[in-house]
Amino acid sequence: MEFKFGGSAENQKTVLGHPSGLFVLFFTEMWERFSYYGMRALLVLFLVSTILDGGWEWSRADALVLYGWYTGLVYITPIIGGFIADKFMGYRRAVVLGAFIMTLGHAAMALEGMTSMFFYAGLTFLIIGNGFFKPNISSMVGQLYKSQGKEKDAGYTIFYMGINAGAFLGILLCGYIGENIGWHYGFGLAGIFMFLGMLQFFFTQTIFGKIGLSPKQSEDFEDVIEDSVEKLEDNVEDLIEEAESSKVVRDRLFVIGIFSLFVVFFWWAFEQAGGSMTIFAADYTDRALEGNAALTFKIVNTIITIVPMIVITWVLAMLFKQTFKKYALANILLALSFIIIWGIVIWMLNREFQADTTEVPASWFSVLNSLFIILFAPLFSKLWESKYNPSGPIKFAIGLLLVGLGFAALAYGSAGIPDGAKTASVSLIYLVIAYYLHTMGELCVSPVGLSYVSKLAPVKLVSMMFGIWFTANFFANLLGGFTGSYMDPIMEEHGLSTFFLIFTIIPIAAAVIMFLLNPMLKRKMHGID
């Protein structure tokens, strides 16, 4: 009997029309993103907080440089982790190993009060673990589907929603607990769910059949088909080698190079979210709310927390219905994680409604990015399928323009802050506008860029081109951290508004150049839309 989906017979049972295994990966990835973004939301705030508040009282410059190195390196290690999994370990073992290493990383960071070495060891473990986890779980999603059509695209869209659901909850809950209860509890909470996600994946992995096994483990399967495809592979390789020397391929590789260069400008600005924008939220934004404003925030915060939780719990219940009989232990562990998370959500919301004063946590603003993606990603997906779908270079130009305009809002909002001021009370609406514009820009650049790399690169060079793409992200994050570290010197001499204008002018200038390059790049794409 031929299966519709990859994996075992159990994986043919569907949830929302997709294989059950997709949702095993969905929840595993969700908890990993919960841990990553939860920790990322706290990192700079913890480092710059006073010793009395439990922080390390670092200078903003030092904190932002460390943040830049950390967020940069998490884009380099997946290249290495993906190679090791491809050649030796297999995707499944790499995912489990990566999740376990990241769990150790969070545990170490929760113990940083004993010695600072735990903190640095924790960051190192998180970087290494991410390298094993991130590329390989995404590869498994693709192998669940036998076709390359819309069904697979829809599967990746659902998986992307899991990423953003985890990021949303991680920032919201780890950020709240870290800022209000204690940094160690925020770091530790992220690790608990990473550990439960790892166990859930480990005890359900047979649902994937031969998907994700190491080359050695899948040898018997490969031997059966090797003879029948060997000749075909030789012919395909000959055609590819011939194509690689052609002008069309060279032109398309040139376009990937241009996209990779311009994406540096985008992420360089965008990744200020966890750095200088978080500092702006903590020290320069009026987060204390009173009267109707406080009540409105509490209601909105409750709605945007409860509604995604209900939707995700509903998906969880459908997965239980299909897999509980065969994978009871994994489902019980997953249920336990949701019982804990619901308990924390209810406790947090109740605590806020009972409080006499209302202060928006500085980390809360980062939640807006995930929230806006969840709300607007379907709209952008429909737009790209319509007659109004612009070319790739124009999408990039729009993305760069929007991220620049987001910083223009911050520059305008901070115009009245005196040069060198360490605190201020700017309206929080400017941060909300900035995050909205940045997210709209991200939806024009991030998924579009990945799609164009996969479409423009020759088959044999896809992995290498993705490596170049992620290397561009590494440089963008590193440069973003170093640029952010000059926040205080620029602010003291020229004002905070001037600092944000740097991130306004450069992306908008890059957008104009990309717009002018559009006709030439479209020609060099040779029919790729």
Side-chain angles (χ1 to χ4, degrees), residues 413-467:
S414 57
I417 299 174
D419 295 358
K422 293 298 181 185
T423 58
S425 295
V426 174
S427 171
L428 57 76
I429 192 64
Y430 296 107
L431 269 173
V432 174
I433 292 169
Y435 273 105
Y436 170 75
L437 291 171
H438 288 185
T439 306
M440 298 303 101
E442 181 186 2
L443 288 169
C444 291
V445 170
S446 183
V448 171
L450 292 170
S451 175
Y452 274 95
V453 171
S454 66
K455 288 190 287 190
L456 290 167
V459 176
K460 285 176 72 174
L461 297 180
V462 168
S463 294
M464 189 175 79
M465 289 300 105
F466 273 117

Side-chain angles (χ1 to χ4, degrees), residues 153-449:
D153 292 344
Y156 268 108
T157 301
I158 290 171
F159 186 68
Y160 192 59
M161 295 294 277
I163 290 172
N164 284 286
F168 174 83
L169 291 171
I171 295 166
L172 190 72
L173 301 181
C174 293
Y176 182 86
I177 288 173
E179 286 190 68
N180 291 280
I181 308 301
W183 306 110
H184 314 301
Y185 294 105
F187 291 139
L189 180 67
I192 290 170
F193 293 106
M194 186 71 262
F195 183 65
L196 289 171
M198 177 195 74
L199 292 177
Q200 181 251 165
F201 176 85
F202 180 79
F203 289 117
T204 321
Q205 62 179 305
T206 56
I207 199 172
F208 300 112
K210 291 189 174 292
I211 293 172
L213 293 175
S214 67
K216 189 174 181 181
Q217 287 174 306
S218 55
E219 242 172 29
D220 56 335
F221 172 74
E222 289 172 355
D223 287 342
V224 174
I225 61 169
E226 187 175 11
D227 291 336
S228 61
V229 299
E230 192 172 34
K231 196 169 183 180
L232 178 62
E233 285 179 345
D234 289 339
N235 291 337
V236 171
E237 284 181 11
D238 289 339
L239 286 170
I240 290 168
E241 285 171 5
E242 185 180 339
E244 282 172 5
S245 62
S246 74
K247 182 180 184 300
V248 171
V249 171
R250 286 199 306 272
D251 283 351
R252 288 175 176 171
L253 291 178
F254 173 80
V255 174
I256 293 175
I258 294 295
F259 283 168
S260 299
L261 174 63
F262 277 80
V263 83
V264 170
F265 294 107
F266 180 85
W267 293 118
W268 164 76
F270 183 92
E271 280 296 335
Q272 296 301 309
S276 61
M277 286 175 68
T278 296
I279 289 172
F280 180 77
D283 297 338
Y284 299 97
T285 302
D286 183 8
R287 296 180 287 113
L289 303 177
E290 297 176 351
N292 290 335
L295 180 61
T296 301
F297 172 75
K298 289 174 182 178
I299 293 170
V300 169
N301 194 43
T302 300
I303 292 169
I304 67 173
T305 306
I306 293 292
V307 171
M309 281 296 299
I310 291 171
V311 172
I312 298 166
T313 306
W314 172 65
V315 173
L316 178 73
M318 289 192 290
L319 181 63
F320 276 15
K321 186 178 177 182
Q322 298 289 31
T323 63
F324 192 87
K325 188 174 180 181
K326 188 171 178 64
Y327 301 106
L329 178 57
N331 282 298
I332 289 168
L333 290 167
L334 192 53
L336 175 62
S337 65
F338 268 77
I339 291 168
I340 295 170
I341 209 81
W342 267 111
I344 295 170
V345 164
I346 292 167
W347 165 82
M348 178 192 75
L349 294 174
N350 181 65
R351 187 174 186 266
E352 280 301 292
F353 271 101
Q354 297 296 326
D356 294 328
T357 58
T358 300
E359 184 175 77
V360 182
S363 58
W364 181 86
F365 294 95
S366 297
V367 167
L368 296 172
N369 177 237
S370 297
L371 178 65
F372 289 142
I373 284 177
I374 292 167
L375 291 175
F376 291 102
L379 179 65
F380 273 75
S381 179
K382 291 290 185 187
L383 181 63
W384 300 155
E385 292 174 3
S386 73
K387 63 180 180 179
Y388 300 108
N389 180 33
S391 67
I394 294 297
K395 288 173 185 170
F396 263 67
I398 293 170
L400 286 160
L401 175 65
L402 289 170
V403 80
L405 290 175
F407 279 104
L410 293 178
Y412 179 78
S414 57
I417 299 174
D419 295 358
K422 293 298 181 185
T423 58
S425 295
V426 174
S427 171
L428 57 76
I429 192 64
Y430 296 107
L431 269 173
V432 174
I433 292 169
Y435 273 105
Y436 170 75
L437 291 171
H438 288 185
T439 306
M440 298 303 101
E442 181 186 2
L443 288 169
C444 291
V445 170
S446 183
V448 171

Side-chain angles (χ1 to χ4, degrees), residues 486-523:
Y486 288 95
M487 182 178 187
D488 282 343
I490 292 171
M491 184 176 62
E492 286 167 10
E493 192 165 339
H494 304 287
L496 187 56
S497 185
T498 301
F499 173 78
F500 286 130
L501 277 174
I502 295 170
F503 296 98
T504 301
I505 295 166
I506 293 176
I508 291 177
V512 172
I513 295 169
M514 179 59 84
F515 180 80
L516 295 173
L517 289 175
N518 177 53
M520 182 265 286
L521 292 175
K522 280 182 71 176
R523 285 196 305 273

Side-chain angles (χ1 to χ4, degrees), residues 69-85:
W69 274 110
Y70 171 70
T71 55
L73 287 171
V74 295
Y75 281 101
I76 289 293
T77 51
I79 300 170
I80 302 166
F83 175 80
I84 292 172

